[in-house]
Amino acid sequence: MKNEKKTKVSFVIPCYRSALTLRGVVAEIRSTMEELSQYTYEIVLVNDASPDDTMEVIRQIVKEVPNVTGIGLAKNFGQHAALMAGFHEVCGDIVVCLDDDGQTPANEVGKLLQQIESGSDVVYARYPQKKHSAFRNFGSKVNEQMTRIMLGKPKELYISSYFAARRFVVEDMLHYENCYPYVIGLVLRATKNISNVDVTHREREIGTSGYTMKKLLALWFNGFTAFSIKPLRMATVIGVLTAAFGFLYGIYTVIKKFVNPAVPVGFSSMMSALVFIGGMIMLMLGLIGEYIGRMYISMNRSPQYVVREKVTGGEDGASDKGTVDR
């Protein structure tokens, strides 16, 4: 009797300031997958130019643990670029992405895999109670609203960094070669067969979140300019409304002068109108300029990421330090 081919699961973990937590995450994945004997697995660790010893820890893990590949990026390209770097290395039938800090429970990956086996193309972990800081929770809410309004995400769908996707979804994402990847937008572009499962969200035991306000703003701006033209349409609507308001206010001023010639024409009201309209014009021009700038950078084929080092398993481990960009 021939052995039935097992489904392979590929774990992709973007790593940043995770030298103290990464071993625990990998160990939890291993122990969990030993219980899920119907699957085989691999782990791809992508170091996003972390300033601590994360890459050295990855090298040690690759030497000690089978089925682990380490990728070191040449500079900090961001979480979504790191995910794309990992996607280019995986060969599994199902790809699972999770965080490097232990807050996303690897021991509950069976819930995501079961939902995939039930027919979903992508499954996102949903947290009934989040353990992030108030700042990070605020960022998540803003990101939630942005993806719903700009990218057409269903209102009931919860998006998180812990998700599983079928191979064909990842393959479709790899067709995106521009330098501003946004994984959520790529998923929503590939399929609408997306579901949620509830998992536990843990307290962060070590360190703080790598997302600063600057990084969050860059992520949001990238999301709605890379995959939606709604901001330009909104700019058009605001411009029309502003022009209509200015026209009506001008008619009101003329009528008021005819009705009461003694009423002075106010300098302050004129200046406020000019400042308001001028500010709106500058805002719209800046938005258009951002789109044009991104088109220019994409035309120049700026890479999504640059790989400085790739570490693969073996008796002593093998390191390829040639530079690769995509």
Side-chain angles (χ1 to χ4, degrees), residues 17 71 98 110 133 153 158 173 194 220 229 237 243 258-259:
R17 294 186 184 275
I71 304 294
L98 69 161
S133 64
K153 179 188 75 66
Y158 182 88
M173 287 194 278
I194 309 172
W220 298 333
I229 61 171
V237 172
F258 275 110
V259 172

Side-chain angles (χ1 to χ4, degrees), residues 247-296:
F247 179 74
L248 293 174
Y249 187 77
I251 294 176
Y252 167 75
T253 303
V254 171
I255 294 175
K256 185 172 67 172
K257 188 67 176 177
F258 275 110
V259 172
N260 185 4
V263 174
V265 178
F267 175 78
S268 59
S269 61
M270 180 184 68
M271 288 304 299
S272 63
L274 286 175
V275 170
F276 174 74
I277 295 172
M280 293 304 300
I281 292 173
M282 293 301 294
L283 175 64
M284 305 313 164
L285 288 176
L287 183 60
I288 294 170
E290 180 68 24
Y291 273 92
I292 294 174
R294 285 171 178 260
M295 290 169 58
Y296 173 75

Side-chain angles (χ1 to χ4, degrees), residues 47-67:
N47 176 39
D48 194 19
S50 179
D52 62 2
D53 295 328
T54 296
M55 192 62 209
E56 182 58 35
V57 171
I58 290 175
R59 294 191 193 100
Q60 294 172 7
I61 292 174
V62 170
K63 288 181 180 180
E64 300 166 2
V65 181
N67 305 323

Side-chain angles (χ1 to χ4, degrees), residues 215-235:
K215 288 185 177 180
L216 283 173
L217 289 174
L219 178 64
W220 298 333
F221 211 72
N222 179 45
F224 68 71
T225 55
F227 292 92
S228 176
I229 61 171
K230 286 186 179 180
L232 291 176
R233 291 175 178 171
M234 291 171 61

Side-chain angles (χ1 to χ4, degrees), residues 132-150:
H132 281 316
S133 64
F135 167 73
R136 185 66 186 277
N137 285 334
F138 169 75
S140 297
K141 288 181 179 179
V142 174
N143 191 58
E144 171 79 11
Q145 292 297 319
M146 186 272 291
T147 53
R148 186 166 63 86
I149 296 172
M150 300 295 181

Side-chain angles (χ1 to χ4, degrees), residues 43 48 96 100-101 111 125 134 200 206 222 259 277 301:
I43 303 173
D48 194 19
V96 176
D100 58 346
D101 53 14
K111 294 180 180 180
T200 304
I206 302 173
N222 179 45
V259 172
I277 295 172
R301 300 186 65 82

Side-chain angles (χ1 to χ4, degrees), residues 31-61:
S31 62
T32 301
M33 295 307 293
E34 286 176 3
E35 297 176 4
L36 299 172
S37 57
Q38 68 271 36
Y39 299 102
T40 60
Y41 70 96
E42 66 175 348
I43 303 173
V44 178
L45 306 174
V46 184
N47 176 39
D48 194 19
S50 179
D52 62 2
D53 295 328
T54 296
M55 192 62 209
E56 182 58 35
V57 171
I58 290 175
R59 294 191 193 100
Q60 294 172 7
I61 292 174

